[in-house]
């Protein structure tokens, strides 16, 4: 098994969370989450999987503190010192960048505001621009980028200041296989190097298998954890190997259990 | 050449209009006192410009620009702040819309009483509705700002000033420009109209039109009106160019949120 060593300390804990939307758009059985608990270990790469509309993004937003649960506790690691240590990256990469800033300005701006100075800042920008292959696009505005380029920009911006926990909502949904593989390997490198905890939210089996060390399958409703699987796979992930196929089958079974 | 190819529709429309005008006057379908021939108007223009209109145009433009400057300098920051602090906006929303409903020209006597007969009251009168329209547009632009980007402002610990200047300003800029375009036409209309009523030193484009008309110099009157129209078109063109430049980053499809 590769990847950052598991530590027993939690990056984030949800305890007995209740959450429902006030509008009751989803019918009368209102409660989306009821007594929901989850623990994310520091340095782990966790995938949260579930069917569309099950409440994955809501879970991500509860974890990030963007929406507050009606009941229960969201506990962050005491290592998290400022709001910038826990980042939720939106499904739409355009929401994660400032479209009025060029690619380079987008990567530089958060570092400036978080008081990264001089050489450290320059090196970080240079490293990220190279890792996500954005250097030739420095002076371009986000609106002129392709989908894959925009996703790379959104990620490099949100990861620029080395946040301790990053929640990525469907980061690969609009991307083809090649771009996905590039972004996956960049994310893997960053997670190792910066000791980041990553939470990936997805509905897609191959996305779930691309990076995660642990996969949590959730289903409705109220949302429960259907399966909690550990992946013992190296990186990069080789498809069509016996280990990969076994994990894929386990995931598919987990999802099927969630549907019935 | 390119310019002609891009603008041939507008050019042929203007050309057609002048053509109809020429035919109507050549056939003497209308009394030349009411509608002089286009060539008579054209012949009058150089003399008018030399006589007074260059100075008039400069003065009127100066007043319009001063009014717009005042409107932007106060309207944009106050509007953004009110859009950001919705609770403060709720307090002033009613009075603000009440003020907007009063025709600005009806307030002119008040401006004269408060500011006296002078440049200040002309500029203030034009600035007043311009400021309100820019302010209201800035408020709604800021209120509709992308919440996910405001989340980023919180992540990065931006203070209120940085949030307004670095995020909300840009989020509201398309809407602010809509306000500015409306304000440009408000200002020009009001400045020209007020100049007709009070000619400070008998100057200003509005005063020029009024004086030509009252001395029955009809070709000159038409000429001055057409010059005023041209200035309106040019101002609008300048604002459009500025808008395209300042919003060159704008995504075509607003698929966010």
């Amino acid at each position: 098994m590769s990847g950052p060593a598991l530590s027993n300390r939690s990056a984030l804990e949800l305890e007995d969370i209740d959450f429902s939307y006030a509008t009751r758009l989803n019918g009368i059985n209102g409660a989306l989450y009821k007594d929901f608990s989850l623990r994310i270990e520091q340095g782990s790469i966790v995938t949260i999987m579930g069917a569309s509309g099950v409440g994955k993004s809501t879970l991500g937003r509860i974890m990030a503190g963007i929406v507050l649960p009606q009941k229960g506790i969201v506990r962050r690691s005491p290592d998290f010192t400022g709001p910038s240590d826990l980042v939720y990256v939106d499904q739409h990469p355009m929401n994660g960048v400032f479209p009025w800033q060029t690619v380079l300005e987008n990567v530089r701006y958060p570092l400036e505001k978080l008081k990264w100075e001089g050489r450290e800042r320059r090196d970080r920008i240079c490293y990220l621009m190279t890792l996500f292959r954005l250097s030739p696009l420095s002076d371009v505005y986000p609106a002129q980028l392709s989908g894959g380029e925009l996703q790379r920009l959104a990620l490099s911006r949100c990861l620029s200041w080395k946040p301790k926990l990053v929640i990525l909502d469907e980061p690969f949904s609009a991307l083809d296989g090649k771009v996905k593989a590039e972004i996956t390997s960049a994310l893997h490198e960053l997670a190792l190097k910066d000791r980041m905890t990553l939470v990936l939210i997805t509905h897609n089996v191959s996305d779930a298998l691309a990076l995660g060390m642990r996969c949590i399958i959730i289903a409705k409703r109220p949302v429960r954890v259907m399966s909690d699987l550990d992946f013992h796979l190296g990186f990069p992930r080789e498809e069509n190997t016996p280990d990969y196929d076994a994990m894929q089958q386990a995931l598919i079974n987990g999802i099927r259990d969630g549907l019935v | 050449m390119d310019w002609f190819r891009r603008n041939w529709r507008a050019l042929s429309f203007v050309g057609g209009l002048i053509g109809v005008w020429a035919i109507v006057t050549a056939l003497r379908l209308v009394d030349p006192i009411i509608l002089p021939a286009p060539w008579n108007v054209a012949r009058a223009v150089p003399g008018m410009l030399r006589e007074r209109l260059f100075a008039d145009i400069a003065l009127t433009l100066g007043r319009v620009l001063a009014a717009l400057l005042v409107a932007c300098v106060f309207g944009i920051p106050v509007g953004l702040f009110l859009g950001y602090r919705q609770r403060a906006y709720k307090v002033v929303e009613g009075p603000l819309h009440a003020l907007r409903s009063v025709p600005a020209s009806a307030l002119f006597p008040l401006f004269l009483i408060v500011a006296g007969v002078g440049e200040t009251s002309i500029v203030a009168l034009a600035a007043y509705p311009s400021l309100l329209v820019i302010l209201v547009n800035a408020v709604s632009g800021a209120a509709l700002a992308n919440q996910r980007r405001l989340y980023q402002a919180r992540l990065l610990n931006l203070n209120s000033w940085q949030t307004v200047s670095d995020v909300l300003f840009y989020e509201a800029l398309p809407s602010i420009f809509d306000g500015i375009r409306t304000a440009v036409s408000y200002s020009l209309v009001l400045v020209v109209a007020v100049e007709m009523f009070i000619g400070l030193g008998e100057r200003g484009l509005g005063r020029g039109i009024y004086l030509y008309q009252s001395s029955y110099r009809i070709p000159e009157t038409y000429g001055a009106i057409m010059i005023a129209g041209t200035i309106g078109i040019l101002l609008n063109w300048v604002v459009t160019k500025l808008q395209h430049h300042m919003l060159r980053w704008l995504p075509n499809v607003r698929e966010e949120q």
Side-chain angles (χ1 to χ4, degrees):
Chain A
M1 182 186 140
S2 79
L6 273 176
S7 88
N8 288 324
R9 298 167 62 211
S10 308
L12 196 80
E13 285 176 9
L14 304 186
E15 201 179 295
D16 298 332
I17 298 292
D18 279 10
F19 182 84
S20 48
Y21 281 109
T23 51
R24 302 220 162 184
L25 261 175
N26 301 310
I28 42 168
N29 48 344
L32 193 53
Y33 286 88
K34 188 144 185 57
D35 294 324
F36 185 86
S37 300
L38 188 66
R39 205 169 84 86
I40 307 286
E41 279 145 343
Q42 270 187 14
S44 60
I45 301 179
V46 179
T47 308
I48 293 176
M49 244 197 114
S52 294
V54 74
K56 300 184 299 288
S57 294
T58 306
L59 182 59
R61 290 157 66 76
I62 291 172
M63 291 163 79
I66 297 171
V67 292
L68 299 177
Q70 279 93 17
K71 199 203 91 192
I73 305 168
V74 180
R75 223 178 270 116
R76 297 176 173 200
S77 154
D79 297 352
F80 294 10
T81 46
S84 60
D85 275 335
L86 202 177
V87 181
Y88 170 83
V89 183
D90 199 89
Q91 293 189 36
H92 300 289
M94 195 53 105
N95 287 336
V97 301
F98 286 174
W100 50 88
Q101 293 178 336
T102 62
V103 167
L104 179 62
E105 288 164 349
N106 261 297
V107 179
R108 186 171 54 205
Y109 182 82
L111 294 175
E112 262 172 28
K113 293 299 152 186
L114 294 170
K115 307 275 188 308
W116 285 50
E117 307 289 350
R119 172 153 201 150
E120 203 189 359
R121 184 169 82 203
R122 272 202 312 280
D123 289 352
R124 183 67 176 171
I125 293 169
C126 186
Y127 168 70
L128 286 167
M129 298 283 283
T130 312
L131 181 66
F132 284 99
R133 294 194 303 108
L134 292 168
S135 308
L137 304 165
S138 298
D139 300 324
V140 173
Y141 287 102
Q144 295 155 324
L145 297 176
S146 72
E149 290 162 347
L150 186 61
Q151 185 61 270
R152 295 195 320 248
L153 174 62
L155 289 173
S156 59
R157 180 182 164 119
C158 296
L159 303 177
S160 63
W161 61 87
K162 302 187 184 177
K164 300 212 168 71
L165 170 59
V166 180
I167 301 162
L168 301 169
D169 197 348
E170 301 277 7
F172 312 124
S173 59
L175 307 177
D176 64 43
K178 185 168 157 287
V179 179
K180 188 178 117 185
E182 283 169 11
I183 294 184
T184 314
S185 88
L187 279 174
H188 189 256
E189 178 178 330
L190 272 175
L192 282 181
K193 194 167 157 293
D194 301 339
R195 296 217 181 78
M196 255 181 347
T197 309
L198 275 184
V199 175
L200 284 101
I201 297 172
T202 183
H203 64 274
N204 180 305
V205 173
S206 80
D207 288 358
L209 282 162
L211 196 58
M213 300 155 58
R214 175 187 171 200
C215 184
I216 297 163
I217 300 173
I218 58 173
K220 59 183 165 183
R221 147 179 320 215
V223 174
R224 288 154 297 153
V225 173
M226 300 306 297
S227 355
D228 192 340
L229 306 163
D230 282 323
F231 290 166
H232 303 289
L233 292 172
F235 193 89
R237 301 274 155 89
E238 303 277 348
E239 292 187 26
N240 301 321
T241 58
D243 282 350
Y244 186 94
D245 289 345
M247 293 313 311
Q248 191 169 29
Q249 198 52 50
L251 264 187
I252 291 168
N253 291 341
I255 296 164
R256 196 176 299 133
D257 293 345
L259 292 177
V260 289
Chain B
M1 240 358 254
D2 262 2
W3 186 86
F4 281 103
R5 208 168 295 143
R6 267 184 286 119
N7 295 291
W8 68 270
R9 279 191 196 83
L11 288 173
S12 47
F13 177 74
V14 173
L17 211 61
I18 294 173
V20 171
W21 177 14
I23 292 165
V24 166
T25 47
L27 298 176
R28 298 206 158 256
L29 295 175
V30 182
D31 188 339
I33 295 296
I34 295 171
L35 184 66
W39 44 90
N40 287 334
V41 173
R43 211 180 299 142
V45 168
M48 292 156 62
L49 287 174
R50 241 178 291 117
E51 182 184 23
R52 60 170 297 151
L53 274 191
F54 269 131
D56 284 340
I57 291 168
L59 183 63
T60 300
L61 263 183
R63 287 166 175 166
V64 168
L65 293 179
L68 286 173
L69 189 69
V70 171
C72 286
V73 164
F74 290 97
I76 295 173
V78 175
L80 290 177
F81 176 80
L82 289 175
Y84 183 48
R85 297 259 178 256
Q86 283 290 312
R87 221 170 288 160
Y89 181 59
K90 288 280 178 290
V91 176
V92 295
E93 192 179 12
L96 207 62
H97 285 283
L99 278 178
R100 273 200 345 129
S101 312
V102 180
S105 48
L107 293 171
F108 189 51
L110 282 185
F111 279 90
L112 285 182
I113 294 168
V114 175
V117 180
E119 289 299 334
T120 317
S121 41
I122 297 179
V123 170
L125 181 74
Y128 167 76
S130 308
L131 192 154
L132 285 181
V133 71
I134 289 173
L135 187 145
V136 168
N137 273 273
V139 170
S140 63
L144 290 175
N146 185 314
Q147 291 303 316
R148 309 291 165 92
R149 293 198 194 107
L150 288 174
Y151 160 71
Q152 291 206 36
R154 289 197 299 279
L155 271 189
L156 300 177
N157 245 335
L158 301 191
N159 59 35
S160 303
W161 167 251
Q162 288 168 326
T163 304
V164 168
S165 68
D166 290 9
V167 186
L168 277 182
F169 172 71
Y170 294 98
E171 288 282 328
L173 201 54
S175 173
I176 290 173
F177 262 108
D178 290 342
I180 291 177
R181 295 169 77 97
T182 314
V184 166
S185 47
Y186 280 178
S187 305
L188 186 61
V189 165
L190 282 165
V191 168
V192 169
V194 169
E195 284 170 348
M196 290 186 178
F197 288 108
I198 54 162
L200 286 177
E202 297 294 314
R203 302 245 61 111
L205 195 52
R207 198 61 178 175
I209 297 170
Y210 172 77
L211 290 176
Y212 284 131
Q213 184 268 331
S214 54
S215 51
Y216 291 100
R217 295 170 67 183
I218 303 306
E220 283 85 351
T221 312
Y222 273 89
I225 291 170
M226 289 171 73
I227 286 169
T230 310
I231 288 172
I233 292 169
L234 285 178
L235 277 176
N236 198 45
W237 178 80
V238 168
V239 175
T240 307
K241 283 283 158 198
L242 192 68
Q243 183 175 16
H244 282 314
H245 177 73
M246 289 190 73
L247 294 176
R248 63 192 182 282
W249 48 268
L250 198 70
N252 286 328
V253 189
R254 303 203 107 200
E255 70 211 0
E256 318 108 79
Q257 287 202 333

